[in-house]
């Protein structure tokens, strides 16, 4: 029994989508492709392993997902091979080819990454314009451009309008994911009216979903993005808007079949309140945590991020009461973590409690800082790998010591 093209392509697919820790997966895929080409050269048109477009796309995908330090070169090498063999094999790059290359450059830290993504998109457009219907840009293509411009801080009103025009040009319909990406880009654009823009996008998504467009159903990320915008931009009605959006998501779920809020959504709400400097916000954080712990919010249970966010909120109260509350949460995590390792406190948990004491009016902030550092070191020695003492931890403790009452000698001690 001899392997044929399908056998090789399945093997390439396995390599391209491998979760293995091996660092030479892309190199192995490249070797397989070269072996297929060599056999084709030797055997001619009767060759059972003649590569097709899928063969090249799988190898490009393998490079795009690779951990190799020079994966960008691998992508371009395979793409150039595809162009070199396109006439003889009667194949042309398609949308998947270009999207894979754009996706690879998206994860790259190379300073040329954004320009490479834009060049690849232009090559896709040119190929489509020149009569290659399989190279038509799609939703993934436009989403990648959105994320790339956002990542490289090049998103602007003009860029946004250009992307909208591309959607119209190629008949690309929007969905909840594209709108989430758009909202994220707007929030990071620092446009003055960003919160209002993303709220308008969410409102349109809700209306579209209610009218029957299932693909526009907002998810927890959609609502969390708007909540983040109002908090990040310091809107005075951020607290009210947070409660309104939470209620709107529950209404969409209960009365229209939308997605229910999940723990990530509630973590976003907690984070918004944690960023507000008010006693009301701190009390609301405590209420939400209590409701989650008691199972009052339709089965949503707090996770480590939930507890860390509550501890973070207690840092802004500047009162000993808040620091004590934060420490009590830390103690609870240490206890619960014995049965559920996912709840073991991490560096952020311990360091945030130290910061809460440092910012508080407690007269024992220095002693508490030292005590928590020692607890953290003991937890790490006892097997909690996440409780790593870092420079940030010691800086937080030193900050607590610097702002205690007493003489300079007492602070230095």
């Amino acid at each position: 029994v001899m392997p044929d093209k399908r056998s090789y392509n399945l093997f390439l697919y396995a390599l391209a989508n491998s979760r293995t820790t091996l660092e030479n997966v892309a190199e192995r895929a490249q070797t397989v492709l070269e072996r297929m080409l060599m056999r084709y050269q030797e055997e001619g048109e009767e060759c059972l392993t003649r590569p097709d477009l899928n063969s090249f796309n799988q190898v490009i995908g393998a490079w795009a997902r690779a951990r190799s330090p020079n994966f960008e070169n691998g992508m371009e090498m395979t793409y150039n091979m595809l162009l070199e063999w396109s006439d003889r094999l009667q194949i042309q790059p398609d949308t998947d080819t270009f999207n894979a290359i754009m996706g690879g450059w998206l994860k790259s830290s190379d300073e040329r990454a954004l320009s490479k993504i834009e060049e690849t998109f232009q090559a896709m457009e040119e190929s489509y314009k020149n009569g290659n219907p399989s190279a038509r840009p799609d939703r993934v293509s436009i989403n990648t451009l959105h994320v790339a411009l956002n990542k490289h801080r090049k998103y602007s009103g003009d860029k946004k309008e250009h992307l909208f025009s591309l959607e119209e040009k190629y008949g690309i319909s929007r969905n909840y994911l594209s709108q989430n990406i758009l909202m994220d880009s707007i929030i990071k654009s620092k446009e003055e009216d960003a919160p209002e823009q993303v709220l308008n996008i969410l409102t349109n998504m809700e209306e579209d979903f209610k009218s029957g467009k299932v693909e526009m159903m907002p998810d927890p990320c959609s609502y969390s993005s708007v909540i983040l915008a109002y908090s990040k931009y310091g809107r005075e009605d951020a607290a009210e808007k947070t409660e309104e959006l939470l209620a709107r998501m529950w209404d969409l779920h209960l009365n229209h079949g939308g997605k229910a809020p999940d723990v990530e959504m509630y973590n976003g709400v907690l984070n918004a309140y944690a960023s507000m400097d008010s006693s009301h916000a701190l009390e609301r954080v405590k209420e939400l945590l209590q409701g989650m712990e008691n199972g009052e919010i339709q089965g949503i249970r707090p996770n480590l991020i939930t507890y860390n966010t509550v501890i973070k909120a207690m840092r802004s109260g500047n009162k000993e009461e808040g620091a004590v509350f934060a420490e009590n949460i830390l103690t609870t995590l240490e206890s619960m973590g014995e049965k559920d390792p996912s709840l073991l406190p991490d560096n952020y948990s311990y360091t945030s409690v130290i910061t809460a004491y440092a910012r508080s009016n407690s007269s024992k902030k220095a002693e508490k800082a030292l005590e928590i550092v020692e607890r953290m070191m003991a937890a790490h020695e006892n097997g909690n790998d996440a409780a790593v003492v870092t420079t940030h931890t010691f800086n937080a403790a030193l900050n607590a010591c610097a702002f205690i009452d007493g003489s300079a000698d007492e602070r230095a001690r």
Side-chain angles (χ1 to χ4, degrees):
V1 177
M2 295 295 293
D4 58 9
K5 177 177 61 180
R6 177 172 171 76
S7 308
Y8 276 100
N9 282 350
L10 287 170
F11 182 49
L12 288 172
Y13 176 84
L15 288 173
N17 294 278
S18 174
R19 302 295 181 184
T20 179
T21 57
L22 293 176
E23 296 185 358
N24 65 341
V25 169
E27 289 85 349
R28 292 173 64 186
Q30 183 72 38
T31 300
V32 171
L33 177 61
E34 291 171 358
R35 189 184 306 156
M36 293 174 73
L37 288 168
M38 185 179 300
R39 283 193 58 184
Y40 173 63
Q41 282 183 308
E42 294 172 350
E43 301 174 16
E45 296 303 321
E46 301 301 320
C47 179
L48 295 177
T49 62
R50 168 179 170 161
D52 59 9
L53 178 59
N54 184 34
S55 312
F56 285 90
N57 281 351
Q58 294 302 336
V59 179
I60 291 173
W63 281 116
R65 302 181 187 96
R67 303 177 184 182
S68 307
N70 297 313
F71 73 91
E72 300 97 336
N73 294 337
M75 283 194 309
E76 295 203 331
M77 174 182 65
T78 308
Y79 175 65
N80 289 331
M81 285 177 61
L82 168 57
L83 297 181
E84 180 184 339
W85 282 86
S86 60
D87 288 341
R88 186 170 175 183
L89 294 173
Q90 297 183 331
I91 57 176
Q92 297 183 80
D94 65 0
T95 305
D96 289 341
T97 312
F98 293 110
N99 283 347
I101 296 171
M102 291 170 66
W105 280 111
L106 185 62
K107 76 167 191 177
S108 172
S109 57
D110 191 300
E111 61 183 11
R112 303 170 298 157
L114 178 58
S115 63
K116 285 291 187 179
I117 290 171
E118 292 176 325
E119 287 173 13
T120 303
F121 184 81
Q122 290 168 6
M124 183 192 303
E125 286 194 295
E126 193 66 23
S127 181
Y128 179 69
K129 179 180 177 182
N130 290 336
N132 178 9
S134 62
R136 183 188 183 97
D138 65 3
R139 181 75 265 163
V140 175
S141 317
I142 303 300
N143 285 353
T144 304
L145 284 174
H146 266 294
V147 176
L149 290 167
N150 188 2
K151 177 181 177 181
H152 294 276
R153 312 285 186 190
K154 298 295 183 181
Y155 195 83
S156 65
D158 290 342
K159 292 289 187 181
K160 179 173 64 177
E161 291 305 316
H162 176 60
L163 292 174
F164 286 164
S165 70
L166 289 174
E167 290 177 338
E168 184 175 347
K169 178 180 180 180
Y170 294 110
I172 300 171
S173 60
R174 299 174 185 174
N175 57 27
Y176 81 95
L177 180 58
S178 68
Q179 298 307 87
N180 286 352
I181 292 172
L182 174 60
M183 288 194 285
D184 185 53
S185 299
I186 292 172
I187 292 169
K188 292 178 180 177
S189 72
K190 298 183 180 179
E191 295 180 19
E192 186 177 341
D193 64 340
E196 290 72 28
Q197 285 191 55
V198 295
L199 177 60
N200 185 56
I201 291 171
L202 175 64
T203 301
N204 289 335
M205 290 172 70
E206 290 175 326
E207 292 175 355
D208 285 343
F209 174 65
K210 290 176 183 178
S211 69
K213 296 181 179 178
V214 179
E215 70 278 4
M216 295 297 287
M217 179 171 61
D219 67 354
C221 181
S222 313
Y223 289 92
S224 295
S225 293
V226 182
I227 290 171
L228 170 65
Y230 273 79
S231 173
K232 183 177 181 179
Y233 281 75
R235 292 293 191 263
E236 291 183 1
D237 60 341
E240 293 81 0
K241 194 62 67 177
T242 296
E243 294 294 339
E244 174 196 322
L245 290 165
L246 187 58
R248 279 168 60 168
M249 188 170 188
W250 275 116
D251 175 72
L252 197 70
H253 168 61
L254 296 173
N255 298 316
H256 302 281
K259 291 185 178 179
D262 57 14
V263 66
E264 283 74 23
M265 169 70 175
Y266 272 86
N267 287 345
V269 171
L270 289 168
N271 191 55
Y273 277 119
S275 303
M276 302 175 196
D277 188 14
S278 72
S279 57
H280 166 72
L282 295 182
E283 288 306 311
R284 186 61 180 136
V285 165
K286 293 178 182 179
E287 289 173 5
L288 286 170
L289 176 62
Q290 184 178 30
M292 294 172 75
E293 288 183 319
N294 294 340
E296 299 170 3
I297 310 176
Q298 293 204 7
I300 296 176
R301 302 292 299 176
N303 57 21
L304 180 59
I305 295 175
T306 309
Y307 287 108
N308 279 351
T309 305
V310 175
I311 292 174
K312 171 187 173 181
M314 297 303 114
R315 301 184 315 190
S316 61
N318 300 325
K319 293 183 179 180
E320 184 174 18
E321 175 188 351
V324 171
F325 188 85
E327 185 182 3
N328 288 339
I329 291 177
L330 180 65
T331 302
T332 299
L333 287 173
E334 288 174 329
S335 176
M336 292 191 299
E338 293 178 2
K339 295 182 179 179
D340 183 357
S342 70
L343 291 173
L344 281 170
D346 58 11
N347 171 273
Y348 189 90
S349 314
Y350 287 98
T351 303
S352 293
V353 174
I354 294 171
T355 301
Y357 271 110
R359 295 180 182 177
S360 77
N361 57 2
S362 172
S363 61
K364 300 179 180 179
K365 61 176 68 178
E367 289 86 346
K368 279 294 183 181
L370 176 60
E371 176 188 321
I372 294 166
V373 169
E374 290 174 341
R375 279 171 65 176
M376 188 175 181
M377 294 172 69
H380 189 260
E381 290 176 3
N382 290 329
N384 182 359
D385 294 334
V388 180
V389 179
T390 63
T391 302
H392 184 58
T393 308
F394 281 112
N395 285 345
L398 289 170
N399 187 55
C401 297
F403 291 95
I404 61 173
D405 295 328
S407 67
D409 289 342
E410 289 175 317
R411 290 196 295 272
R413 180 183 63 81

